[in-house]
Amino acid sequence: MGDMTNSDFYAKNQRNEGSHAGGFGCSLMDLRTLMELRGNDAIVKIQEDYGDVEGLCKRLKTSPTEGLAGVATDLDKRKEIFGRNLIPPKKPKTFLQLVWEALQDVTLIILEIAAIISLGLSFYQPPGEGSEACGAAAGGVEDEGESEAGWIEGAAILLSVVCVVLVTAFNDWSKEKQFRGLQSRIEQEQKFQVVRGGQVIQLPVADIVVGDIAQIKYGDLLPADGVLIQGNDLKIDESSLTGESDHVRKAPDRDPMLLSGTHVMEGSGRMLVTAVGVNSQTGIIFTLLGASGEEEEKKEKKGKMQDGNLENSQTKVKKQDGAAAMEMQPLKSAEGGESDEKEKKKINVSKKEKSVLQGKLTKLAVQIGKAGLVMSAITVIILVLYFCIDNFVVLKRPWLPECTPIYIQYFVKFFIIGVTVLVVAVPEGLPLAVTISLAYSVKKMMKDNNLVRHLDACETMGNATAICSDKTGTLTTNRMTAVQVYVADVHYKEIPDPSVLPPKTLEILINAISINSAYTTKILPPDKEGGLPKQVGNKTECGLLGLVLDLKRDYQPIRDQMPEEKLYKVYTFNSVRKSMSTVIKLPDGSFRMYSKGASEILLKKCSRILSEAGEAKLFRPRDRDEMVKKVIEPMACDGLRTIGVAYRDFPASPEPDWENEADILNDLTGICVVGIEDPVRPEVPAAIQKCQRAGITVRMVTGDNINTARAIAIKCGIIHPGEDFLCIDGKEFNRRIRNEKGEVEQERIDKVWPKLKVLARSSPTDKHTLVKGIIDSTMVEQRQVVAVTGDGTNDGPALKKADVGFAMGIAGTDVAKEASDIILTDDNFSSIVKAVMWGRNVYDSISKFLQFQLTVNVVAVIVAFTGACITQDSPLKAVQMLWVNLIMDTFASLALATEPPTESLLMRKPYGRNKPLISSTMTKNILGHGVYQLVVIFTLLFVGENIFDIDSGRNAPLHAPPSEHYTIIFNTFVMMQLFNEINARKIHGERNVFNGIFRNPIFCTIVLGTFAVQIVIVQFGGKPFSCSPLDLDKWMWCVFLGVGELLWGQVISTIPNSRLKFLKGAGQLTEKDEVPEEEMNEDNEEIDHAERELRRGQILWFRGLNRIQTQIEVVNTFKSGTSFQGALRRQSSTTSQNQDVTNVSSPTHVSVSNALSSPTNATAVPTGQC
């Protein structure tokens, strides 16, 4: 007892302390400690401190039924004392941090070093300046004015490096900014139902305050912590916080604690909000995560990448991301999705395996990079050897110490030329093009009602070969209206006049519908005069309430008479029951239960039915079969959804055992069957036709009756009478795909899916099985890329499994939105077609850019290489190369990546995962234009001085002034690139390259802008750009040679591909590159083939480090006897990495990793004995 008074005293004290805080009967800390309790402890604590939940409401000055009054001053005060409902997002990277990241690029670092050496040497005046001994080496240095200008080249290289870095950093910065915008948009869209002043209103999640009464229902993601006031059959999935996958039953007298970030899987109820934002359970975890995230970064800098921890924090972030101002989750997956992020993506925790495009691009970039490296190395070696042999062997000069700096200056110059070749060879514009193209598409897709949550989904969509769509709301308008009814033994083809129905039947029917539906479902007057009434809540229930109104009755008075608190027991709808039932207590103490649900399921549970006289008569199985034939099937064939309504009376005593569902939901009395129409959206048939033309199979997966589904599928054009297709229900589907043991077999699925067009009465597991079956199928040579639409909580697994998951923005539950990649803000199927168009456009934009980029690369590398070998000096100087690189990479990626999509994209089949990135047409274009450019440049290089009658620029000494000869070569080169950029706009061999050019203002601006800057560089660039001004005549020649590109392009497109057998596509993902998804656990690190090459050693090194760290920790733990858990947790993360290496590597690698793992176990055992 003393104990009790103690706690009483404590509570009073707290109360006083709290009341000082702001007149509330409890403080922030009280509520925080309360929310840490679970189950019985929580109930005891509430009873001890507050009496009951009502008492807690009084302390928080709120009413359990009316909610808060909603006065602004009161709300502000609550926000001030208890905090706001948002979790401050992580600070974005500053511009300087992004600049620093861009500077980490290897080629740029090499260039910086070369430039600095070059600068240092140009300022160093060697003592042996005038001595003839150094021979030709000092040739040009005699010219006094020129030796002063030696520093310019180094400075110019540094300047161009700065340009490249700033452009990259700016792109990253704007990308980050875009995601923050997207993020806040996703947050603003999340609303929640709250009772204020007795009215149920939708509030943005951020506006919820402590003391609010929130209405929760199936599919919600709880936005704050709270205590349950009243609940119906409420089950919560708390796995995101506890990791327990079982659903937890909640009831005011059993376990009333509801936590933010958890999902409502069944039922409904009302909760009192007790903790928001940083003080809620999710908020507390986020605060810890934020802190650990920073430490994580520090650790990572040391290179001890502990993927275990990082993955955990990221998966937590993923699970939570809907809960509050999420930890920028889309940004993470997006950054994981870029193929640059210069750190070679230490950890790629993207949502699925790498997207197709990134896989192909990484592979291509590595191939090109290797080739570039070889070329640049050869260039440097040839130049150095040539110089040495020429000077020291042929001319037999001694190496004098005073000449050393001059020789070194030569070597540095050669080195710079080599690096320049490498810089031009490596297409660093590729990641940029991908980023720009995706970011641009995402922005534009917003306008087309596609809210993209994961960047790569946008591009994957272009490869989609199958779409599994829901019926309700996606293909149909999701506006349910009751159009037929079978009641009192008569099938009415339209809603009858209430006077023809027996009064008793009518009474029961009206009550059954009004009471046995969520009280949040309502039909409101239309927004506009003459519009349709507004349906709020569950649309099927709205259809039934509409029937009540059509029968000239009103459901509201009945609900007022029997408020939600008085409902005795509610069995809410779920995908297993397929029905909903509500029990009420009648005035005489007996009970009545009203049920509604899928007609054939409900009728199986009926043993009687109301006759035309309004009396209950026997309803035998054969009557039921007849009814299915005569009533339900004809309704379903008209495309109607059939809902049965029934009731059952129970005596007052003995009170039935309400938990025994099988007995309760049986022996019902049928009232009526309602046929509800959900019309097909007018734009859907055309959209589906477009998909079929584009080579995408549309399948309908629905929970509806098979006849209804078939009728709607015919209306939509998914199936055409006379075709060979399968249209089956869930039961038949399972019978066909499972073996005797009930296990799903892939070869059985392979027999079913190619023809399957409609899957009816399907459970969420069926949907997931189908999607998985299609994705894993190996019977077609291309792996299928599957998109799935879903709106319910139960669609989560299928949405996650699919290559692209579409969630419904309006009808979708939070759980579905969180599992998805793209949210359809208008719930409309035709928006998916737009997504396909944008996806294909991304792919084509990248291809256009590649075609252009590779032509430049091939030509520039060959010119620099041969020029260097023959004339000891690259015709294109380092700074010029960097400028070419800048226009070719950065500007061209902008110009070509922002081409808007056209309908013609939907006229071709999907590319598929194994199609090379560079098609044979593109290879033909690259080689064709390369040949033209090389011929022009070499002609100018070797006979240019004769054609234009100018001094030759070949074999110029070290610091010679820029020659007109080399300026013409540089200028012509750039002109050819500019005109070739126009050619690159078409990649399928079209003739008219100007088609639609004015629809892309960015392209026009960039081409004209580049032209203008080029004029400035040539005329006023002088020494830094190694240019000497040209007169008009020479300019005209340069432009003329450039225009030749357009004419040559027409010549190339007349050559048929069939003649050029040797053109093989590059950047192809072969079968072996696709690591089967099974091996790669979703959360595991995923490594693409090309990167794997780069990372083998690195991985082993990290694994080894990790092992040693773990062992040291285990030893220390045993010594100190403290947090054993922590060490074990580390251990498990190491083990998971170990398995992960085994998956991605060759056999040699496996043996190494096993060898590595054995010491761990060996050391772990002896430490246990100490």
Side-chain angles (χ1 to χ4, degrees):
M1 189 60 208
D3 196 332
M4 184 68 197
T5 39
N6 234 353
S7 80
D8 263 350
F9 169 72
Y10 179 64
K12 276 193 189 107
N13 254 358
Q14 284 285 41
R15 200 171 309 160
N16 299 341
E17 175 203 307
S19 58
H20 292 306
F24 294 108
C26 42
S27 69
L28 178 62
M29 284 322 290
D30 290 356
L31 293 173
R32 260 181 87 152
T33 39
L34 174 66
M35 289 321 292
E36 276 160 16
L37 301 171
R38 302 275 176 280
N40 221 12
D41 306 345
I43 296 174
V44 172
K45 173 90 172 148
I46 293 175
Q47 282 169 351
E48 282 180 6
D49 288 4
Y50 310 103
D52 58 3
V53 181
E54 300 255 329
L56 183 55
C57 289
K58 283 202 185 78
R59 296 272 192 91
L60 287 173
K61 299 190 176 166
T62 179
S63 143
T65 49
E66 300 286 308
L68 295 173
V71 185
T73 47
D74 175 49
L75 297 178
D76 291 341
K77 188 166 150 196
R78 286 172 190 271
K79 283 182 186 166
E80 198 180 313
I81 295 170
F82 299 113
R84 309 173 79 89
N85 195 21
L86 44 92
I87 294 169
K90 217 161 137 193
K91 277 213 224 38
K93 285 184 177 155
T94 59
F95 189 68
L96 286 175
Q97 278 171 308
L98 291 169
V99 167
W100 177 245
E101 273 177 23
L103 278 170
Q104 310 295 311
D105 188 49
V106 188
T107 36
L108 287 181
I109 293 174
I110 296 175
L111 264 184
E112 286 155 27
I113 295 171
I116 290 166
I117 296 175
S118 161
L119 266 179
L121 287 174
S122 66
F123 287 124
Y124 174 71
Q125 290 295 326
E129 184 66 82
S131 75
E132 279 305 304
C134 303
V141 185
E142 260 55 55
D143 188 345
E144 210 22 68
E146 284 311 321
S147 61
E148 309 293 278
W151 59 273
I152 291 183
E153 187 168 29
I157 293 178
L158 282 182
L159 193 72
S160 42
V161 166
V162 169
C163 276
V164 173
V165 166
L166 287 179
V167 170
T168 316
F170 180 74
N171 270 307
D172 286 347
W173 178 78
S174 57
K175 184 176 76 191
E176 185 139 332
K177 198 164 137 237
Q178 242 172 356
F179 276 105
R180 299 232 162 221
L182 186 69
Q183 192 57 36
S184 60
R185 168 146 181 198
I186 292 179
E187 273 152 36
Q188 283 156 11
E189 292 214 333
Q190 203 193 357
K191 291 198 160 56
F192 210 79
Q193 286 196 330
V194 174
V195 182
R196 283 206 180 155
Q199 292 293 315
V200 179
I201 56 169
Q202 291 268 346
L203 259 191
V205 167
D207 294 350
I208 292 175
V209 294
V210 170
D212 260 325
I213 305 294
Q215 292 213 338
I216 55 177
K217 59 180 188 311
Y218 154 84
D220 282 344
L221 188 142
L222 299 183
D225 291 357
V227 178
L228 187 63
I229 301 175
Q230 170 262 327
N232 306 319
D233 205 16
L234 194 61
K235 284 191 187 157
I236 305 272
D237 171 12
E238 292 189 346
S239 59
S240 56
L241 286 181
T242 60
E244 295 296 323
S245 54
D246 295 344
H247 298 170
V248 187
R249 282 202 104 118
K250 297 285 182 183
D253 52 355
R254 276 182 38 193
D255 180 3
M257 299 320 230
L258 300 171
L259 307 172
S260 59
T262 58
H263 296 134
V264 183
M265 299 314 276
E266 266 184 49
S268 61
R270 288 208 316 277
M271 76 166 184
L272 164 68
V273 176
T274 53
V276 293
V278 203
N279 301 305
S280 65
Q281 293 301 305
T282 309
I284 293 168
I285 289 179
F286 265 127
T287 328
L288 295 174
L289 266 187
S292 65
E294 284 159 27
E295 288 165 27
E296 206 47 63
E297 277 169 26
K298 286 176 196 154
K299 279 185 190 160
E300 217 169 82
K301 280 182 187 144
K302 292 179 192 159
K304 297 171 184 163
M305 99 190 173
Q306 290 135 355
D307 13 10
N309 300 355
L310 214 115
E311 262 175 31
N312 281 342
S313 68
Q314 285 211 358
T315 39
K316 271 187 203 151
V317 166
K318 264 193 189 165
K319 283 182 178 145
Q320 310 284 354
D321 84 354
M326 332 153 201
E327 185 100 331
M328 301 223 342
Q329 190 259 341
L331 219 162
K332 284 205 171 127
S333 40
E335 302 233 302
E338 296 319 327
S339 50
D340 59 351
E341 301 320 294
K342 313 276 187 274
E343 316 92 33
K344 256 302 165 246
K345 284 219 293 314
K346 298 202 193 79
I347 295 175
N348 174 18
V349 192
S350 61
K351 176 166 162 281
K352 302 187 175 88
E353 57 186 295
K354 232 187 191 173
S355 75
V356 190
L357 186 62
Q358 283 153 12
K360 291 181 180 176
L361 280 180
T362 315
K363 198 166 173 215
L364 190 69
V366 170
Q367 286 170 351
I368 296 173
K370 281 181 183 163
L373 200 62
V374 172
M375 288 293 268
S376 64
I378 295 176
T379 312
V380 175
I381 294 167
I382 290 182
L383 283 172
V384 172
L385 284 178
Y386 193 103
F387 177 79
C388 294
I389 292 171
D390 193 41
N391 268 324
F392 304 128
V393 180
V394 180
L395 301 174
K396 299 192 171 55
R397 288 212 179 88
W399 179 299
L400 298 173
E402 59 267 28
C403 296
T404 307
I406 292 181
Y407 294 148
I408 288 182
Q409 228 165 328
Y410 262 100
F411 291 148
V412 168
K413 179 181 160 188
F414 298 152
F415 180 64
I416 289 180
I417 292 173
V419 172
T420 318
V421 172
L422 178 65
V423 171
V424 176
V426 174
E428 61 270 44
L430 265 186
L432 194 66
V434 181
T435 312
I436 292 176
S437 181
L438 288 174
Y440 172 77
S441 306
V442 167
K443 210 169 178 175
K444 288 278 190 249
M445 281 168 83
M446 287 286 244
K447 293 200 178 94
D448 284 339
N449 304 310
N450 283 296
L451 184 80
V452 182
R453 292 183 68 234
H454 297 115
L455 252 194
D456 48 358
C458 175
E459 154 259 313
T460 312
M461 215 32 227
N463 282 319
T465 53
I467 298 176
C468 296
S469 171
D470 265 1
K471 175 179 78 70
T472 313
T474 315
L475 300 173
T476 58
T477 55
N478 203 8
R479 234 203 109 75
M480 309 275 188
T481 32
V483 288
Q484 298 188 17
V485 61
Y486 174 88
V487 60
D489 274 352
V490 187
H491 181 178
Y492 296 96
K493 289 291 174 119
E494 48 216 38
I495 304 301
D497 191 81
S499 55
V500 304
L501 301 179
K504 199 170 154 197
T505 308
L506 184 62
E507 201 49 45
I508 292 184
L509 172 60
I510 302 295
N511 275 317
I513 292 175
S514 306
I515 293 173
N516 184 30
S517 56
Y519 278 26
T520 47
T521 304
K522 299 187 181 72
I523 293 187
L524 303 176
D527 289 340
K528 296 199 266 304
E529 281 279 310
L532 291 166
K534 216 162 96 182
Q535 299 188 340
V536 180
N538 182 312
K539 297 296 191 267
T540 311
E541 289 182 350
C542 286
L544 291 169
L545 292 176
L547 172 66
V548 171
L549 298 176
D550 290 345
L551 292 170
K552 319 264 187 299
R553 293 299 192 81
D554 189 4
Y555 57 87
Q556 203 50 52
I558 301 174
R559 286 183 173 182
D560 296 341
Q561 224 175 342
M562 176 62 67
E564 212 168 348
E565 301 78 70
K566 283 200 191 161
L567 300 180
Y568 197 79
K569 171 104 182 110
V570 178
Y571 299 96
T572 49
F573 179 88
N574 66 23
S575 52
V576 181
R577 283 190 195 123
K578 292 249 190 243
S579 68
M580 169 182 178
S581 313
T582 305
V583 181
I584 58 171
K585 201 168 189 172
L586 298 173
D588 61 0
S590 64
F591 300 97
R592 172 169 285 177
M593 176 179 76
Y594 295 117
S595 284
K596 66 163 191 283
S599 55
E600 57 265 54
I601 292 171
L602 203 74
L603 288 176
K604 279 192 183 128
K605 297 180 175 163
C606 288
S607 55
R608 283 182 287 288
I609 193 163
L610 293 178
S611 66
E612 62 262 63
E615 297 304 322
K617 61 170 190 181
L618 265 181
F619 186 62
R620 296 178 300 263
R622 69 155 184 268
D623 300 333
R624 186 177 67 231
D625 295 341
E626 191 180 347
M627 186 159 167
V628 167
K629 262 202 202 70
K630 297 244 171 91
V631 178
I632 293 176
E633 283 186 2
M635 277 189 186
C637 291
D638 291 341
L640 303 184
R641 185 176 219 173
T642 55
I643 304 287
V645 184
Y647 77 103
R648 178 180 177 184
D649 288 327
F650 296 96
S653 66
E655 186 174 327
D657 170 15
W658 299 114
E659 294 306 312
N660 184 351
E661 258 182 66
D663 287 357
I664 301 281
L665 296 179
N666 216 339
D667 199 18
L668 307 176
T669 305
I671 306 171
C672 70
V673 173
V674 185
I676 294 182
E677 181 182 43
D678 183 9
V680 171
R681 286 173 180 265
E683 63 279 3
V684 161
I688 286 181
Q689 200 183 349
K690 275 185 195 165
C691 282
Q692 288 163 342
R693 222 183 16 230
I696 301 169
T697 315
V698 182
R699 296 182 171 83
M700 178 200 286
V701 182
T702 173
D704 235 332
N705 168 320
I706 186 152
N707 298 323
T708 311
R710 189 184 289 120
I712 298 273
I714 291 174
K715 282 185 191 166
C716 292
I718 291 178
I719 53 181
H720 304 286
E723 276 183 359
D724 181 17
F725 59 79
L726 265 183
C727 180
I728 54 178
D729 60 6
K731 217 189 222 155
E732 171 66 13
F733 176 66
N734 279 308
R735 194 185 64 68
R736 290 189 182 199
I737 62 167
R738 292 179 190 277
N739 59 18
E740 298 72 53
K741 293 184 195 149
E743 296 157 348
V744 177
E745 282 186 2
Q746 185 61 45
E747 51 269 28
R748 287 174 183 245
I749 296 186
D750 285 346
K751 290 197 186 103
V752 175
W753 74 260
K755 288 184 183 173
L756 180 69
K757 289 292 170 65
V758 177
L759 181 57
R761 282 274 177 259
S762 70
S763 68
T765 7
D766 296 341
K767 194 171 187 176
H768 181 255
T769 312
L770 174 66
V771 172
K772 186 174 181 307
I774 297 179
I775 288 179
D776 295 347
S777 173
T778 47
M779 58 182 290
V780 275
E781 73 280 4
Q782 297 285 9
R783 139 136 151 57
Q784 295 277 307
V785 178
V786 184
V788 168
T789 69
D791 51 5
T793 305
N794 44 19
D795 291 330
L799 287 171
K800 264 203 157 58
K801 178 68 192 168
D803 294 287
V804 182
F806 285 92
M808 302 298 141
I810 304 167
T813 58
D814 297 342
V815 184
K817 288 181 188 171
E818 207 185 321
S820 69
D821 302 283
I822 297 179
I823 297 175
L824 294 177
T825 49
D826 63 347
D827 288 17
N828 192 335
F829 186 83
S830 58
S831 303
I832 300 180
V833 181
K834 298 238 177 72
V836 172
M837 213 155 84
W838 276 106
R840 292 188 171 189
N841 191 49
V842 167
Y843 207 92
D844 279 7
S845 299
I846 304 292
S847 298
K848 290 173 189 173
F849 172 69
L850 265 177
Q851 174 175 308
F852 174 65
Q853 165 96 39
L854 292 179
T855 313
V856 182
N857 283 3
V858 169
V859 175
V861 170
I862 294 178
V863 167
F865 177 68
T866 40
C869 298
I870 299 172
T871 69
Q872 273 91 86
D873 185 8
S874 164
L876 297 173
K877 300 290 178 285
V879 181
Q880 295 175 349
M881 289 277 220
L882 283 170
W883 160 239
V884 169
N885 213 28
L886 193 73
I887 54 172
M888 300 324 143
D889 283 3
T890 313
F891 297 147
S893 61
L894 247 178
L896 293 168
T898 52
E899 289 269 327
T902 54
E903 285 283 325
S904 60
L905 287 167
L906 294 174
M907 303 306 256
R908 62 169 173 78
K909 298 276 178 275
Y911 281 145
R913 296 179 80 87
N914 306 336
K915 181 179 178 299
L917 204 52
I918 302 169
S919 63
S920 49
T921 312
M922 288 165 63
T923 319
K924 177 180 77 178
N925 289 343
I926 292 170
L927 295 178
H929 289 293
V931 168
Y932 172 79
Q933 295 184 11
L934 286 172
V935 168
V936 169
I937 286 177
F938 283 138
T939 311
L940 288 177
L941 180 60
F942 296 115
V943 291
E945 67 269 34
N946 307 335
I947 300 174
F948 290 110
D949 193 22
I950 44 177
D951 295 336
S952 164
R954 291 195 300 280
N955 300 327
L958 195 57
H959 293 302
S963 65
E964 270 193 26
H965 183 193
Y966 275 18
T967 309
I968 291 177
I969 295 177
F970 166 57
N971 201 15
T972 309
F973 182 66
V974 173
M975 287 303 124
M976 290 194 292
Q977 301 324 327
L978 271 184
F979 287 100
N980 194 26
E981 201 166 332
I982 300 174
N983 275 333
R985 290 182 67 247
K986 301 290 178 218
I987 47 173
H988 297 298
E990 296 92 331
R991 287 274 180 191
N992 180 3
V993 288
F994 291 101
N995 182 14
I997 195 164
F998 296 113
R999 280 181 44 230
N1000 186 359
I1002 303 181
F1003 184 86
C1004 304
T1005 320
I1006 284 179
V1007 170
L1008 296 172
T1010 314
F1011 191 70
V1013 177
Q1014 179 64 18
I1015 295 178
V1016 174
I1017 288 180
V1018 170
Q1019 296 307 96
F1020 310 104
K1023 182 73 186 168
F1025 279 96
S1026 316
C1027 288
S1028 93
L1030 301 176
D1031 54 32
L1032 189 64
D1033 193 29
K1034 299 193 178 71
W1035 261 102
M1036 294 318 290
W1037 274 106
C1038 294
V1039 175
F1040 170 71
L1041 289 170
V1043 175
E1045 269 289 4
L1046 293 174
L1047 304 173
W1048 183 248
Q1050 296 299 318
V1051 175
I1052 293 176
S1053 50
T1054 40
I1055 304 172
N1057 286 4
S1058 49
R1059 289 283 171 83
L1060 308 167
K1061 285 277 184 274
F1062 60 89
L1063 295 182
K1064 268 275 175 280
Q1068 185 166 359
L1069 270 185
T1070 46
E1071 283 301 323
K1072 70 174 193 316
D1073 288 359
E1074 292 208 31
V1075 183
E1077 221 170 336
E1078 260 47 79
E1079 288 180 21
M1080 296 194 167
N1081 197 344
E1082 291 246 326
D1083 290 339
N1084 270 2
E1085 205 175 334
E1086 291 155 2
I1087 306 168
D1088 161 286
H1089 233 54
E1091 271 177 29
R1092 208 177 295 160
E1093 302 287 314
L1094 302 169
R1095 296 184 42 188
R1096 286 232 163 112
Q1098 199 184 3
I1099 291 173
L1100 278 182
W1101 166 246
F1102 283 134
R1103 295 283 138 85
L1105 260 181
N1106 226 334
R1107 288 282 132 64
I1108 296 163
Q1109 261 181 314
T1110 308
Q1111 288 157 27
I1112 293 170
E1113 258 181 50
V1114 171
V1115 173
N1116 290 346
T1117 304
F1118 275 111
K1119 278 185 190 157
S1120 60
T1122 49
S1123 70
F1124 185 51
Q1125 282 321 99
L1128 277 185
R1129 217 169 286 133
R1130 280 294 309 281
Q1131 189 73 18
S1132 67
S1133 84
T1134 323
T1135 335
S1136 73
Q1137 294 169 349
N1138 194 19
Q1139 292 149 358
D1140 159 34
V1141 161
T1142 318
N1143 289 341
V1144 296
S1145 51
S1146 62
T1148 54
H1149 206 123
V1150 178
S1151 55
V1152 182
S1153 73
N1154 289 343
L1156 256 176
S1157 64
S1158 43
T1160 317
N1161 309 341
T1163 29
V1165 176
T1167 41
Q1169 294 161 355
C1170 67

